[in-house]
Amino acid sequence: MDAKTKYGIKGAEDFLRSVRQNEFVIYLQPKFDTQTEKIVGAEALIRKQIQNKLIMPDQFIPFYEKTGIITKLDMFVLEEICKLQKKWKEEKLPLLPISINESRHHLKNKNHIVELQEIVTKYEARTDLIELEMTENTVIEDILVAKNAAESVKKLGFIVSMDDFGTGYSSFNILKDIEIDILKMDKTFFKDLEKNERARIIIETIVKMCKRLQIKTVAEGIETKGQMDFLKQVECDVVQGFYFSKPLTIQEFEEKFLKNMEKL
Ligand code: C2E
Ligand code: MG
Ligand code: MG
């Protein structure tokens, strides 16, 4: 048995065992309107909980990526988010848009659109409140495939965003060819913002360009008031980061945000 097959079987076994034992837990990290600082949505981030130990995605996602089983994990997350939307509807809580991360493995899978459709139909989910995040690196691998995938999911009503923009060989061709709705600028852009004028000019220009392209901008990994003040000034639309909140359990998220918001 070659290493790949061995990994494949091991990865699949590990994933199925974790599902059976209810080890996967979804955390939600809130996103805020930059100007009003009001909550406007959240990102679903997966963790494994084994007894009292929380295992972060960098400990298992690379392994699942290698084996391809990551697609099953992403569909598991989508299904859980659809269930959550249904629960919020029933409890008459505000329905906030939630983003989920999509692995590169989905792009070439022709069955993916059918899978997405089956899940949202099963839960009568509102796809206009579900955002699918593709990473910049995924898109750059094959722009044509990514373009077709984005068009297909947009036909189902999903919001499409590009995650981790600025971590790869950022190609502006992507923005020319693919009609994404949201651009998430990676935290590395904002690291030394206060000392680095060039970084400030680049961010300001990206935000301006996105406005003209009608793409919403999200700044990721915001940790300081200085970063926040700058993003307000350049009119970036949305911020996500520890400055406001770390990722929370669903229960914490509901208590802290949804139950305090005006009922719809
Ligand atoms: P990502 O999608 O870019 O998610 C943002 C990551 O930045 C999260 O790490 C979040 O906790 C972290 N973060 C948020 N605010 C701050 C901040 O102010 N400072 C710093 N230093 N970090 C911040 P996390 O949860 O460890 O996830 C890491 C990556 O794992 C995600 O990056 C995403 O690529 C991947 N991932 C997580 N859940 C899933 C999933 O369900 N499916 C797939 N395919 N990938 C996932
Ligand atoms: Mg993400
Ligand atoms: Mg990111």
Side-chain angles (χ1 to χ4, degrees):
M1 191 184 294
D2 64 25
K4 203 171 159 213
T5 322
K6 205 167 128 196
Y7 263 140
I9 292 170
K10 265 187 148 181
E13 279 173 357
D14 179 82
F15 171 77
L16 292 171
R17 186 189 44 75
S18 289
V19 172
R20 269 198 309 275
Q21 298 181 355
N22 289 323
E23 285 175 355
F24 289 116
V25 195
I26 292 174
Y27 274 57
L28 294 177
Q29 185 177 33
K31 300 179 199 171
F32 298 86
D33 179 287
T34 312
Q35 305 301 332
T36 63
E37 301 194 1
K38 284 199 177 131
I39 185 164
V40 289
E43 176 172 7
L45 294 159
I46 197 81
R47 280 98 179 82
K48 261 194 207 186
Q49 169 117 40
I50 302 180
Q51 276 124 25
N52 285 331
K53 216 171 131 217
L54 204 58
I55 303 173
M56 300 302 279
D58 62 335
Q59 300 293 305
F60 54 91
I61 294 240
F63 181 51
Y64 290 170
E65 282 270 2
K66 217 182 274 175
T67 64
I69 199 86
I70 186 72
T71 52
K72 299 263 181 287
L73 176 70
D74 290 344
M75 290 308 95
F76 168 85
V77 175
L78 174 67
E79 190 152 0
E80 291 302 304
I81 292 304
C82 291
K83 285 185 201 164
L84 189 62
Q85 202 189 72
K86 199 161 193 246
K87 173 180 170 284
W88 288 350
K89 244 187 243 169
E90 283 162 6
E91 294 176 6
K92 301 212 167 13
L93 288 168
L95 298 181
L96 287 172
I98 306 290
S99 61
I100 69 168
N101 290 284
E102 285 248 284
S103 150
R104 53 162 52 79
H105 284 277
H106 294 294
L107 286 189
K108 285 192 175 157
N109 176 5
K110 291 204 178 71
N111 209 25
H112 183 45
I113 296 296
V114 179
E115 265 178 335
L116 289 172
Q117 191 153 28
E118 274 174 5
I119 297 173
V120 294
T121 306
K122 182 171 169 194
Y123 295 95
E124 297 172 343
R126 275 187 54 184
T127 48
D128 60 326
L129 294 173
I130 301 175
E131 176 186 329
L132 303 178
E133 297 190 1
M134 303 191 268
T135 68
E136 179 192 57
N137 286 326
T138 303
V139 174
I140 214 106
E141 271 177 21
D142 194 330
I143 297 185
L144 189 60
V145 169
K147 179 177 155 71
N148 291 336
E151 276 168 10
S152 308
V153 297
K154 281 179 74 144
K155 276 193 194 130
L156 293 181
F158 288 102
I159 307 165
V160 176
S161 69
M162 187 176 302
D163 198 4
D164 300 345
F165 186 78
T167 53
Y169 298 102
S170 310
S171 162
F172 286 95
N173 266 349
I174 301 177
L175 303 180
K176 176 169 70 67
D177 294 331
I178 306 179
E179 288 188 26
I180 53 162
D181 302 297
I182 297 172
L183 184 87
K184 297 189 79 179
M185 291 180 279
D186 188 69
K187 50 181 166 286
T188 46
F189 271 121
F190 313 106
K191 228 171 49 197
D192 55 355
L193 189 75
E194 280 141 81
K195 290 179 277 158
N196 190 336
E197 205 204 338
R198 297 173 77 87
R200 292 199 296 273
I201 293 170
I202 291 169
I203 295 159
E204 186 172 2
T205 309
I206 293 176
V207 171
K208 275 211 181 104
M209 176 187 69
C210 283
K211 278 200 198 306
R212 292 200 60 190
L213 293 169
Q214 291 177 318
I215 297 172
K216 253 191 175 176
T217 42
V218 179
E220 283 195 295
I222 299 312
E223 296 183 348
T224 68
K225 180 161 186 313
Q227 292 171 331
M228 196 51 212
D229 290 344
F230 172 75
L231 291 164
K232 263 194 180 134
Q233 188 202 318
V234 299
E235 297 181 3
C236 170
D237 296 299
V238 173
V239 283
Q240 180 182 347
F242 298 165
Y243 178 69
F244 284 106
S245 171
K246 59 179 184 14
L248 304 169
T249 63
I250 289 175
Q251 201 191 343
E252 286 169 329
F253 182 85
E254 289 177 346
E255 293 294 330
K256 199 164 170 189
F257 295 105
L258 297 191
K259 296 194 176 156
N260 291 326
M261 274 173 88
E262 268 176 67
K263 299 242 163 136
L264 288 178

